Amino acid sequence: MSTSITIPNEYGYVLLTAYLSTLVGYWHLPNTGRFRKAAKVPYPNAYATPEQAKESKAHYLFNCAQRSHATFLEHQPQFLTTLLISGLKFPLFSSAMGVLWCTGRFIYAKGYTDPNQEQGKGRMTGTKIFYIGTLGLLGSAFLSAVSFTGLGDRVMGLVK
């Protein structure tokens, strides 16, 4: 048995969304660098020490910016995988979920480094937003993948 994959005309939106996630990733670089410079944390130190972060708001905010960047990097591979798989069957939905994810990641980073939010709680709004995108992509990527096995019609009847 062989399966043909036809790329939908709207798949370009999926690719633009993948590109948008790359821009969000690149945005993290100067954002984190700005906080590093303010805290005067030299390279190659990845973070300020817990003692420094406790005593200095600049050090604390640098750690928040660095952690925000790290969580972006931790999540982006799974995001791209589900986006690209889902987009084969649901390109517009996938793109919408991906834009939601990218928006949530940006709000997460801005909130995490908000000096008026204690313990990084400003990130929670962004967390809620990007997880909606994540869950949408997880479900639609599963349905898309199942449709290529031939089980979609026989087992679920949901995806053609």
Side-chain angles (χ1 to χ4, degrees):
M1 178 175 110
S2 66
T3 300
S4 296
I5 297 177
T6 302
I7 307 263
N9 291 334
E10 298 87 359
Y11 200 75
Y13 293 108
V14 175
L15 297 177
L16 284 171
T17 304
Y19 178 73
L20 175 62
S21 79
T22 300
L23 294 179
V24 173
Y26 280 130
W27 170 82
H28 275 279
L29 299 171
N31 184 59
T32 304
R34 181 170 49 93
F35 285 99
R36 177 183 289 280
K37 184 176 180 180
K40 297 179 180 150
V41 175
Y43 286 105
N45 299 326
Y47 291 93
T49 66
E51 295 78 21
Q52 289 173 315
K54 188 175 182 181
E55 295 173 13
S56 162
K57 191 76 157 181
H59 286 92
Y60 169 77
L61 291 174
F62 167 64
N63 281 359
C64 290
Q66 190 74 312
R67 188 65 199 130
S68 173
H69 188 196
T71 62
F72 175 85
L73 295 172
E74 292 163 2
H75 287 243
Q76 193 189 28
Q78 296 87 333
F79 163 74
L80 289 172
T81 300
T82 56
L83 175 74
L84 297 173
I85 292 170
S86 175
L88 292 171
K89 289 291 181 180
F90 311 104
L92 297 178
F93 177 80
S94 300
S95 183
M97 291 296 102
V99 168
L100 199 60
W101 186 88
C102 291
T103 302
R105 294 307 311 191
F106 179 77
I107 293 169
Y108 175 94
K110 293 298 281 181
Y112 211 161
T113 56
D114 182 343
N116 299 315
Q117 296 288 328
E118 292 300 318
Q119 297 178 334
K121 289 187 179 172
R123 74 189 189 281
M124 298 314 292
T125 299
T127 300
K128 292 171 188 169
I129 293 169
F130 80 73
Y131 270 121
I132 293 169
T134 297
L135 292 173
L137 287 170
L138 283 170
S140 58
F142 174 76
L143 293 174
S144 181
V146 166
S147 76
F148 289 104
T149 67
L151 295 175
D153 292 335
R154 288 181 274 158
V155 176
M156 300 187 325
L158 297 174
V159 181
K160 303 261 182 210

